[in-house]
Amino acid sequence: MSKIWTIANRELHTFFDSLIAYIMIIAFLGFSGFFTWLYGADIFFVKQASLQSFFNIAYWTLFFFIPALTMRLFAEENRSGTLELLLTKPVSDWEVVLGKFLSTFFLILIALALTLPYYITVASIGPVDHGAVWSGYLGLILMSAAYISIGIYTSSISSNQIVGYLLALFIGIFFQIIFVMLAGNFTGLIGETLNYLSISTHFDSVSRGVIDTKDLIYFLTIIFLGMLLTEANLARKRL
Amino acid sequence: MDIVVENLTKRFGAQKAVDNISFRVRTGEVLGFLGPNGAGKTTTMKAITTYLTPNEGNIFVGPHSVREQPDEVKKNIGYLPENNPLYPDMPMIDYLRFVAKMQGITGEKIRERIHDMIRICGLEGEKHKKIGELSKGYQQRVGLAQALIHDPQVLILDEPTSGLDPNQIVEIRELIKKIGREKTVILSSHILAEVEATCDRIMIINRGRIVADGTARDLRRHSEGREVLRVRIEDADSNEVFQALRGIAAIGLVDPLGTGTGFFEVQSKPELSARRDIFRLCVDKGWMLTEMSPIETKLEDIFRELTMN
């Protein structure tokens, strides 16, 4: 357990030392702040004390930012050969995968925590549905975890970071929007299945405040599958 | 802690990188792996460190098998891979602390070990630099320091001196020798002089098989089988000496080196030595024997002989 934390801690330091973390946080706050407060369907346009517009924009910004964070996690170590050193230390592959996952997860948590002033501001403007805000945050956290898991998997496929990034976006876009769009064209079982596969369906239902075990199981399954495939990729190198 | 390799075979696709090799390295022994590129040195080392799983056979580090107790094996091994991979953006001290924690060292002991490593590996002046800012020689020392930080019983060093300047090479060799007294060390290289200078025992690998195994002296004796002497006989007529030498029963070949210098290269017949006969000849004839030295076969020649097909 302490080794997982050691790995996560090292990765987190790398994020901050290499400025990736600052750039990501500033860009994330900038984008989401701009569209939440200043432009388009912002809070003043909607005229409701709700963070719904923030959640909608964060849903998309995180989708693009997360693969940029995860792409180097395994690809870089693979290229430089440090992965070999890491895996010949007394740690299991799972500990390495979990450590890397947690580092990015913490970074996203930090970024989301920095948007709490939005919440405080909105709460001071008008009556806010506090439950909806917290479940909105929960939705963002769950979807982030799912995309981190996918991103880590694509990073472990090759030693090229760009491949990792693009592949994560390619896989992600299906969960993000394509499944739900296709679902509109089908009825019956196929339509329902596609709908169930889409992250947006589950994100909407969680962020609306309906936290169903069905949704939780969905997110946990994606997270687990991503890590399982990553672990399989690491194990395959030994053969 | 002994390393025992039993019938190790490792395939990559259809190609056998390592083909059914077995050997044993004892505590306190420094074993040098020699071989041309692609001979299977690195593959064997990676298998010992558990990074590669053998297709057949098994490896034991002490009582632990790489198949059944990889974690125990890893705890006892210090490993410096080829090309010395490091995190260039990390400050050296942080990196050593990271490795120490990964090796399960805790609390006060971490600082103690880092301090020891900095002293042993001579990293004193470079403590606060990032690894990427260090010179290649210092990076190599950091690589060694991370391999040694948990005081492992077994050291696996894959080309530990590649890319270093001659002074640094000597320093690293001294360090390996010093460490090698109490530990089991395997190092690979294709620099023959290096292996001869650092290792107690040499193993030559070619195409995944062991083609020679023994001390540098064993290998020489094994490969030549016959004695070659460089002799200088003065105060005598060269032709006469030449004829007289050819007359000695134990001598197979006489080769005058230059004319009038008195130098001869004398090759004995297999399993025989002509040294006593030459001395007696000179005494009998009253010639001056001013030099008689055995010419050693160079390790390079043995290496070429064994690995060229």
Side-chain angles (χ1 to χ4, degrees):
Chain A
M1 191 62 213
S2 71
K3 284 175 188 167
I4 298 174
W5 173 238
T6 305
I7 293 171
N9 195 26
R10 197 195 76 77
E11 293 293 344
L12 213 50
H13 266 96
T14 313
F15 278 136
F16 281 98
D17 289 347
S18 63
L19 301 181
I20 297 174
Y22 298 105
I23 294 168
M24 184 269 167
I25 288 172
I26 290 168
F28 173 67
L29 292 179
F31 268 113
S32 58
F34 182 68
F35 288 103
T36 308
W37 301 102
L38 299 174
Y39 188 81
D42 63 51
I43 284 176
F44 302 110
F45 179 82
V46 180
K47 293 199 167 108
Q48 270 179 0
S50 131
L51 277 177
Q52 200 53 48
S53 48
F54 163 68
F55 292 135
N56 289 338
I57 187 70
Y59 177 69
W60 278 97
T61 33
L62 288 174
F63 169 70
F64 283 107
F65 282 166
I66 286 171
L69 295 174
T70 54
M71 68 179 187
R72 46 162 282 282
L73 287 177
F74 279 101
E76 194 176 81
E77 295 222 39
N78 220 339
R79 165 159 294 181
S80 69
T82 45
L83 191 62
E84 180 177 348
L85 260 187
L86 194 56
L87 295 179
T88 49
K89 300 278 178 276
V91 280
S92 67
D93 296 358
W94 271 108
E95 287 174 308
V96 174
V97 176
L98 265 173
K100 301 233 175 210
F101 174 86
L102 286 179
S103 68
T104 321
F105 190 63
F106 285 136
L107 185 56
I108 296 294
L109 288 185
I110 293 169
L112 288 176
L114 290 173
T115 65
L116 286 177
Y118 298 178
Y119 173 36
I120 297 164
T121 313
V122 171
S124 66
I125 295 173
V128 171
D129 180 352
H130 296 287
V133 172
W134 291 118
S135 56
Y137 273 112
L138 180 67
L140 286 181
I141 290 171
L142 287 172
M143 81 146 244
S144 299
Y147 283 131
I148 292 169
S149 191
I150 291 171
I152 284 181
Y153 166 61
T154 60
S155 173
S156 73
I157 288 177
S158 89
S159 55
N160 188 323
Q161 299 191 23
I162 307 296
V163 170
Y165 181 76
L166 293 178
L167 210 52
L169 279 193
F170 180 73
I171 296 174
I173 198 80
F174 281 89
F175 290 103
Q176 183 82 354
I177 194 156
I178 291 182
F179 283 146
V180 81
M181 279 166 69
L182 286 177
N185 296 337
F186 292 97
T187 49
L189 191 63
I190 300 174
E192 267 173 47
T193 313
L194 286 169
N195 217 4
Y196 182 78
L197 282 175
S198 170
I199 279 187
S200 62
T201 317
H202 299 276
F203 176 73
D204 286 346
S205 92
V206 171
S207 64
R208 241 185 284 117
V210 193
I211 299 161
D212 198 340
T213 39
K214 203 173 69 180
D215 300 319
L216 290 178
I217 288 171
Y218 170 81
F219 282 113
L220 291 177
T221 310
I222 292 190
I223 296 166
F224 177 72
L225 271 181
M227 292 205 219
L228 187 74
L229 288 171
T230 313
E231 203 270 337
N233 258 345
L234 295 185
R236 211 185 46 185
K237 283 185 203 307
R238 291 156 190 268
L239 296 178
Chain B
M1 204 171 257
D2 289 8
I3 303 170
V4 181
V5 174
E6 283 174 358
N7 306 96
L8 173 72
T9 298
K10 178 72 197 168
R11 276 185 289 267
F12 295 112
Q15 194 198 2
K16 273 186 183 173
V18 174
D19 190 0
N20 196 22
I21 67 172
S22 305
F23 60 89
R24 184 188 192 108
V25 195
R26 292 189 170 75
T27 311
E29 204 171 25
V30 180
L31 174 73
F33 262 172
L34 271 177
N37 289 325
K41 295 175 296 207
T42 299
T43 308
T44 310
M45 291 179 136
K46 283 185 178 178
I48 297 172
T49 61
T50 74
Y51 186 62
L52 290 174
T53 314
N55 291 104
E56 282 155 44
N58 206 342
I59 300 169
F60 293 91
V61 174
H64 313 294
S65 146
V66 293
R67 288 181 186 275
E68 273 95 50
Q69 301 129 301
D71 262 18
E72 289 302 313
V73 172
K74 288 174 183 176
K75 271 181 207 162
N76 286 300
I77 284 185
Y79 179 37
L80 176 64
E82 210 175 355
N83 304 328
N84 187 24
L86 295 165
Y87 301 108
D89 293 333
M90 256 182 129
M92 188 198 86
I93 293 266
D94 290 0
Y95 176 62
L96 291 182
R97 186 172 299 122
F98 169 71
V99 177
K101 283 183 183 166
M102 295 302 285
Q103 291 289 5
I105 304 172
T106 48
E108 238 350 78
K109 202 95 174 54
I110 294 179
R111 269 183 49 198
E112 218 173 275
R113 287 304 297 164
I114 292 176
H115 190 81
D116 286 353
M117 282 306 111
I118 287 175
R119 192 174 40 79
I120 293 171
C121 299
L123 289 162
E124 204 58 56
E126 318 287 320
K127 261 196 274 194
H128 300 290
K129 282 191 188 166
K130 282 188 176 180
I131 292 173
E133 294 166 354
L134 298 175
S135 71
K136 191 136 195 208
Y138 276 107
Q139 287 189 3
Q140 201 73 16
R141 292 177 197 209
V142 175
L144 265 177
Q146 67 81 25
L148 288 168
I149 199 152
H150 55 301
D151 198 17
Q153 293 305 301
V154 172
L155 262 182
I156 310 283
L157 311 170
D158 202 347
E159 301 196 5
T161 58
S162 71
L164 300 184
D165 71 37
N167 291 337
Q168 293 166 335
I169 289 179
V170 172
E171 283 170 27
I172 297 280
R173 273 185 204 160
E174 289 304 315
L175 190 57
I176 293 170
K177 268 190 169 172
K178 199 168 78 187
I179 297 159
R181 276 179 219 135
E182 301 124 43
K183 301 184 192 302
T184 319
V185 182
I186 298 183
L187 69 87
S188 80
S189 176
H190 38 234
I191 305 164
L192 298 138
E194 166 165 310
V195 173
E196 202 174 2
T198 10
C199 302
D200 309 316
R201 185 175 147 204
I202 297 172
M203 191 180 276
I204 300 180
I205 298 185
N206 191 33
R207 301 186 177 192
R209 289 169 184 275
I210 298 171
V211 289
D213 182 3
T215 62
R217 254 172 109 193
D218 288 342
L219 292 188
R220 284 212 182 82
R221 197 178 307 141
H222 177 77
S223 127
E224 54 193 334
R226 59 189 74 187
E227 179 187 69
V228 182
L229 298 171
R230 187 180 140 97
V231 180
R232 185 172 192 187
I233 296 170
E234 287 174 274
D235 299 345
D237 178 52
S238 290
N239 276 327
E240 205 183 321
V241 175
F242 181 68
Q243 294 302 336
L245 285 174
R246 287 199 32 186
I248 295 175
I251 291 179
L253 236 157
V254 182
D255 189 11
L257 300 170
T259 44
T261 55
F263 280 111
F264 295 90
E265 198 175 284
V266 176
Q267 193 176 26
S268 316
K269 289 185 176 147
E271 315 291 320
L272 290 175
S273 172
R275 275 182 276 192
R276 286 165 160 275
D277 298 329
I278 294 170
F279 180 73
R280 197 159 292 135
L281 176 79
C282 293
V283 172
D284 289 348
K285 305 264 187 184
W287 294 335
M288 276 299 189
L289 180 62
T290 53
E291 183 180 338
M292 176 151 68
S293 46
I295 296 175
E296 297 200 315
T297 318
K298 283 200 202 117
L299 213 48
E300 269 85 353
D301 299 331
I302 303 170
F303 181 77
R304 282 179 63 82
E305 190 183 307
L306 288 167
T307 56
M308 295 280 283
N309 306 78

